[in-house]
């Protein structure tokens, strides 16, 4: 049933989940923090407390890493066939779909996003990542190699590579897509045969805890996935630095990404990073403008702009600039703000007051720098961390609102002349390189510009197209490595060369 038509009440399973005490999943047991501390989880629309979760710290992370190590070295997971692993991963996907209503509600309450969006996007995309990666479990393989052996001519060798799971993986995820980021991280690590300690974001721990129950229901052996709730500075930092962790996979800010790299240096654990962005979205005058305008609005306003790949720098060919800006502003004006659980809501609150203040700080800064808001530009008064969808114009390339990631529903729109070199240079004038959009009917230009943009993903005549088969990740300071697709598997595998003298 489409949740948009449902009344504004929590389902019975969601109420039951919210009322039960929250624990962390360590070694197959649901446990409190060793120190016994908890912290509150808020609904960003009403600002009320919806749950308390354990405040895991270094000692809890240590227990989780030990459990993951035991599960990796011995126990059923270590000896399970790839097909059996694949079946469990597939079942996790099925269980997510079976519990879609409940998961969408939990996500909406905890993060603020509309329940209908969580139901239509976050949950099915999460399930799809498990289903897609389930297939990879049986397709990971090494190669046979033909050696030349220049220094032992005539001696035959049999040589091959093995792809082996990297070991115990620490995964640290943000609050913008709590369930989906957990799925993006867990599914490939499990397909590769790793075991995991997952540190969820303090703002949005709930859907991952429900996911932990579903992992158990799917038959995942104890200790294969351990879920720790806690703060980044304590639990997250302890996980990134832990000598028992072989690899850390992080999604979040570029600033914290740097701290992860430093923390990982102790035991030189492998690192993959999916970080921030300030993605250019380019509209040429020959584009289907109605489609491009709707696409540009959704590129920035989807998930309230709290997307690392948000199309936050909108470049529009000069002759159609006014029309496009008016069109995007018009859409922004009509977006209905409200609590995520209200079926009429099109945009919920930002995740926290910190995030609301951060975004509004950029709006103030933009005004001081000389930018002008065509629409929006303010926080919404009253309860909830709402910020109006905003279109800024009259900016200069070096302004901070053009250069820095705002991570809210704020787009800067800038006109360009039809000079491809200048446009590409301007679009690439960023420390980030996560994604980009191009809107045009000129196929040659689309290919030409796509090749020249320094971005991990380029969408042409579309935006925010995610698929388990598409690699996702960043150039420059947007990250190291790729998520999703076959490419992500290398984050979780070691290659071993075996040479045998016959
Ligand atoms: P963040 O601080 O980078 O947090 C991401 C994750 O890292 C969270 O689980 C966080 O824990 C943890 N963490 C924080 N400090 C840590 C440390 N020293 N060591 C290890 N882990 C640590 O992101 P945020 O505070 O949620 O948001 C800030 C900015 O990050 C956003 O405005 C945006 O620029 C960027 N961001 C990017 C993405 C993306 O998908 N690329 C997603 C979200 C945010 P806590 O939850 O306890 O802080
Ligand atoms: Mg935080």
């Amino acid at each position: 049933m489409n949740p948009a038509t449902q009344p504004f009440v929590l389902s019975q399973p969601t109420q039951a989940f919210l009322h039960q005490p929250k624990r962390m999943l360590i070694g197959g047991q649901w446990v409190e923090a060793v120190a016994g501390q908890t912290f509150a989880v808020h609904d960003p629309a009403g600002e009320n407390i919806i749950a308390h979760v354990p405040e895991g710290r270094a000692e809890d992370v240590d227990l989780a890493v030990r459990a993951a190590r035991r599960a990796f070295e011995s126990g059923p997971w270590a000896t399970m066939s790839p097909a059996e692993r694949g079946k469990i991963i597939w079942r996790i996907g099925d269980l997510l779909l079976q519990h879609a209503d409940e998961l969408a509600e939990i996500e909406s309450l905890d993060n603020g996003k509309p329940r209908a969006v969580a139901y239509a996007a976050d949950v099915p995309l999460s399930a799809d990542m498990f289903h897609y990666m389930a297939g990879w479990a049986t397709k990971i393989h090494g190669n046979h190699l033909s050696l030349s052996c220049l220094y032992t001519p005539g001696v035959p060798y049999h040589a091959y590579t093995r792809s082996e799971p990297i070991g115990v993986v620490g995964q640290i995820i943000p609050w913008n897509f709590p369930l989906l980021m957990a799925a993006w991280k867990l599914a490939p690590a499990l397909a590769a045969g790793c075991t995991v300690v997952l540190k969820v974001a303090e703002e949005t721990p709930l859907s991952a805890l429900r996911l932990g129950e579903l992992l158990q229901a799917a038959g995942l052996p104890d200790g294969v996935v351990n879920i720790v709730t806690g703060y980044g500075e304590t639990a997250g930092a302890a996980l990134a630095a832990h000598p028992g962790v072989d690899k850390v996979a992080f999604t979040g800010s570029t600033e914290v990404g740097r701290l992860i790299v430093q923390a990982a240096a102790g035991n030189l654990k492998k690192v993959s990073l999916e970080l921030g962005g300030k993605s250019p979205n380019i509209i040429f005058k020959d584009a289907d403008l109605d489609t491009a305008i709707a696409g540009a609005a959704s590129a920035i306003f989807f998930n309230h702009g709290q997307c690392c790949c948000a199309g936050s720098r909108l470049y529009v060919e000069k002759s159609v600039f006014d029309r496009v800006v008016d069109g995007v502003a018009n859409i922004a004006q009509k977006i209905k703000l409200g609590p995520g659980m209200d079926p009429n809501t099109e945009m919920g609150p930002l995740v926290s007051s910190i995030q609301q203040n951060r975004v509004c700080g950029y709006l103030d800064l933009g005004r001081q720098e000389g930018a002008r808001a065509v629409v929006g530009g303010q926080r919404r008064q009253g309860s909830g961390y709402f910020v109006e969808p905003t279109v800024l114009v009259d900016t200069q390339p070096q302004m901070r609102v053009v250069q820095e990631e705002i991570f809210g529903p704020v787009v800067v729109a800038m006109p360009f002349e039809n000079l491809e070199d200048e446009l590409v240079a301007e679009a690439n004038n960023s420390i980030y390189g996560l994604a980009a959009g191009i809107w045009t009917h000129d196929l040659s230009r689309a290919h030409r510009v796509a090749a020249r943009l320094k971005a991990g993903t380029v969408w042409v005549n579309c935006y925010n197209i995610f698929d388990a088969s598409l690699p996702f990740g960043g150039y420059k300071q947007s990250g190291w490595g790729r998520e999703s697709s076959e490419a992500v598997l290398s984050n979780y595998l070691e290659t071993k060369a075996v040479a045998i003298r016959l």
Side-chain angles (χ1 to χ4, degrees), residues 3 8 12 22-23 48 54 60 90 95 106 113 115 118 126 194 219 249 257 316 344 356 364 410 421 433 452 467 480:
F8 181 4
Q12 205 282 325
K22 302 293 173 296
R23 306 270 192 264
N48 47 314
D60 304 284
W90 184 272
L95 284 168
I106 293 169
K113 66 179 72 195
R115 180 177 67 162
S126 302
C194 294
V316 186
N344 297 313
Q356 186 192 35
D364 291 340
V410 182
D421 287 349
R452 297 180 69 187
D467 193 280
W480 291 352

Side-chain angles (χ1 to χ4, degrees), residues 66-81:
R66 286 169 194 276
R69 177 60 60 190
R70 278 195 302 278
F72 184 73
E73 303 293 352
S74 55
W77 189 249
T79 52
M80 196 176 278
S81 71

Side-chain angles (χ1 to χ4, degrees), residues 39 172-177 181 199-204 230-240 250-257 259-260 263 274-277 306-309 351 354-355 358 405-407 432 434 472 478:
F39 63 89
I172 301 174
I173 56 172
W175 43 257
N176 55 344
F177 294 91
M181 290 300 101
K199 204 299 273 180
V200 297
E202 67 185 77
E203 307 291 358
T204 55
Y231 297 124
E233 297 76 6
T234 48
L239 185 57
F250 171 79
T251 296
S253 60
T254 293
E255 183 191 354
V256 174
L259 298 177
I260 300 289
E274 204 265 276
L275 308 175
Q306 300 169 136
C307 291
C308 45
C309 55
V351 74
I354 292 176
Q355 197 60 18
R358 185 184 140 95
E405 183 181 43
I406 297 176
F407 223 64
Y432 297 111
L434 195 54
F472 185 84
S478 288

Side-chain angles (χ1 to χ4, degrees), residues 176-193:
N176 55 344
F177 294 91
L179 181 69
L180 185 59
M181 290 300 101
W184 275 32
K185 288 277 183 277
L186 293 176
L190 295 177

Side-chain angles (χ1 to χ4, degrees), residues 390-462:
T390 299
V391 179
L392 296 179
V393 294
D394 299 344
T395 57
Q396 296 300 322
Q398 293 314 320
M399 284 183 180
R400 286 182 58 195
V401 288
V402 178
Q403 290 296 329
E404 296 179 18
E405 183 181 43
I406 297 176
F407 223 64
V410 182
V411 65
V412 289
M414 295 158 288
F416 67 88
E417 308 280 355
N418 187 9
L419 294 168
E420 218 164 275
D421 287 349
E422 279 176 26
L423 168 68
V424 167
E426 206 40 57
N428 285 336
N429 176 18
S430 171
I431 61 165
Y432 297 111
L434 195 54
I438 300 171
W439 301 81
T440 179
H441 273 145
D442 181 339
L443 195 57
S444 298
R445 176 157 59 195
H447 283 298
R448 226 170 30 235
V449 175
R452 297 180 69 187
L453 291 173
K454 297 207 187 311
T457 297
V458 179
W459 287 297
V460 179
N461 294 328
C462 59

Side-chain angles (χ1 to χ4, degrees), residues 21 32 46 78 106 122 148 153 181 210 214 237 268 387 426 430 477 496 498:
E32 295 179 6
I106 293 169
D122 299 58
S148 299
M181 290 300 101
R210 185 69 186 98
L214 299 180
L268 287 176
V387 175
E426 206 40 57
S430 171
Q477 294 184 37
K496 177 180 286 174
V498 181

